[in-house]
Amino acid sequence: MTDTTSQAGALSGNVLFYTQPEPISIEAHGKLGVTPADKPYAFVAQTNIVPLTVTEFAPAALSYPVIFVGELKQPVVAMGLRQNDNLFIDNGDFRPEAYIPAYIRRYPFVFANDDTQNRMILCIDRAANFVGEGGEIPLFENGQPSEYVNNAMEFCNNFEQERVRTESFVKLLTDLDLFETREASFTPRNPDGTPGQVQKLAEYFAVSEDKLKALPIEKLAELRDNGALGQIYAHLVSLLGWDRLIAMAFARAATETPVAANA
C-alpha cells in the first residue's frame, strides 16, 4: 500500500543520497516546487557504487561493471575505483554516454516504510537543493498532488516492483550456489617497464561461470525461459568494464596532476 500523505507512524529505512526525507503533505510542502538544476546529478559525485535493479543489467553493462556486494549480495554498478569518487560525473552531470540507474533518476523522491500502518509513504528529500518555495514545478496544485508528484509516485511504485523482482533474482542465484568471491586488481608498470606490485581495487561477488556451466541442462533451460540467464550474461560481460574504469581513473588523474610523479 502506498500513500502521499503524512500520517502518524514510525517511518523506517535509510537510503543513499537522502539526508532529509519527509513524507509529502499539503501542510508541509504545499508551497514547494522543483526548479531544474544546472548540475542535476552533483549529489552522485561522492558515490562510487549505486544500487541497480535486475532489469537494468543489460543497459548498465554498457557503461559499468555490474557486481554484487554485501551479505545480501545487493546488485550495484561500480562508477569509480575510490569510495568518494564517481568517474562518470563531470561538472554535476553524467557523461552523455553513461546509463543513469533508476535509483538515481527517482531522486528526490523515495518510498519509506510506515511500520505502524504497514504501508509505503512517498517522501521527498527536503534537503535537495532544487526543492524550495516557489519552484517552477509545484508539488501541489489546487490542494492536490501535482502531475509531477503523481508521476513520481508511479515511478517509485515501478521501482519498488523491480526491487522485489531483484531480490527474487538474487535469491535464485543464491539457492543455486552460483556466487563466488572475486577481486578487481590492477598491475602498474614500474619506471623501467617491468610489472609492478598488483594493487587490489575491489572485492565483490559475481556469478561463477564454472558453476553456471555445471548446472543441469534442465535448470539452464529454466533460467533461459524465465529471463535470468540473459541477466546473468549481462552481468558477466559487464565485468570487462573494470579496464574502462582504470583507464578513466588514469585520464582524470592526468588532468588533475599535470606533472606526473614517479611512484
Side-chain angles (χ1 to χ4, degrees):
M1 178 178 180
T2 58
D3 197 359
T4 58
T5 59
S6 175
Q7 302 289 340
L11 299 181
S12 67
N14 189 15
V15 195
L16 177 69
F17 301 139
Y18 299 79
T19 58
Q20 192 182 336
E22 299 177 353
I24 290 183
S25 70
I26 183 68
E27 294 81 11
H29 309 110
K31 297 181 180 180
L32 298 185
V34 171
T35 299
D38 293 333
K39 300 178 180 181
Y41 297 110
F43 67 93
V44 189
Q46 302 301 313
T47 304
N48 72 322
I49 61 171
V50 174
L52 195 72
T53 63
V54 64
T55 52
E56 297 179 280
F57 278 23
L62 299 175
S63 301
Y64 324 100
V66 177
I67 60 177
F68 299 83
V69 298
E71 184 178 350
L72 298 178
K73 298 179 175 63
Q74 165 74 52
V76 300
V77 288
M79 296 183 170
L81 302 179
R82 296 181 296 180
Q83 187 172 359
N84 297 318
D85 185 25
N86 191 316
L87 295 168
F88 288 85
I89 302 295
D90 288 332
N91 196 30
D93 206 350
F94 267 91
R95 287 173 175 254
E97 76 279 6
Y99 174 76
I100 304 176
Y103 189 99
I104 294 171
R105 284 182 277 125
R106 69 176 178 171
Y107 187 83
F109 297 96
V110 66
F111 274 146
N113 294 317
D114 182 343
D115 294 332
T116 302
Q117 301 190 38
N118 190 30
R119 63 178 181 173
M120 304 291 287
I121 294 180
L122 186 68
C123 297
I124 189 169
D125 188 359
R126 186 61 184 85
N129 61 10
F130 46 85
V131 176
E133 289 196 17
E136 292 181 15
I137 308 171
L139 299 183
F140 289 87
E141 293 177 316
N142 301 319
Q144 297 296 321
S146 66
E147 181 181 2
Y148 178 74
V149 170
N150 288 331
N151 289 339
M153 168 71 83
E154 182 179 1
F155 189 93
C156 288
N157 265 320
N158 292 337
F159 182 87
E160 183 64 16
Q161 294 172 16
E162 294 300 326
R163 186 191 64 79
V164 173
R165 184 176 290 115
T166 301
E167 288 183 349
S168 298
F169 173 77
V170 172
K171 184 178 186 303
L172 174 62
L173 300 191
T174 302
D175 291 345
L176 292 173
D177 189 28
L178 290 180
F179 284 113
E180 66 178 0
T181 303
R182 286 200 192 180
E183 290 186 357
S185 60
F186 166 65
T187 304
R189 289 284 178 182
N190 292 321
D192 61 3
T194 59
Q197 184 175 358
V198 176
Q199 298 180 10
K200 177 180 174 181
L201 300 174
E203 183 174 290
Y204 59 93
F205 293 103
V207 171
S208 166
E209 295 184 66
D210 290 337
K211 291 181 177 181
L212 184 63
K213 293 175 183 176
L215 286 177
I217 188 66
E218 61 272 14
K219 184 57 65 174
L220 281 170
E222 181 181 329
L223 292 176
R224 178 199 64 202
D225 293 342
N226 66 19
L229 192 59
Q231 309 295 4
I232 290 172
Y233 283 136
H235 149 66
L236 290 173
V237 170
S238 80
L239 299 181
L240 298 172
W242 285 114
D243 288 341
R244 182 188 308 116
L245 284 184
I246 293 169
M248 291 173 66
F250 269 101
R252 175 171 291 186
T255 62
E256 293 174 351
T257 311
V259 179
N262 291 330

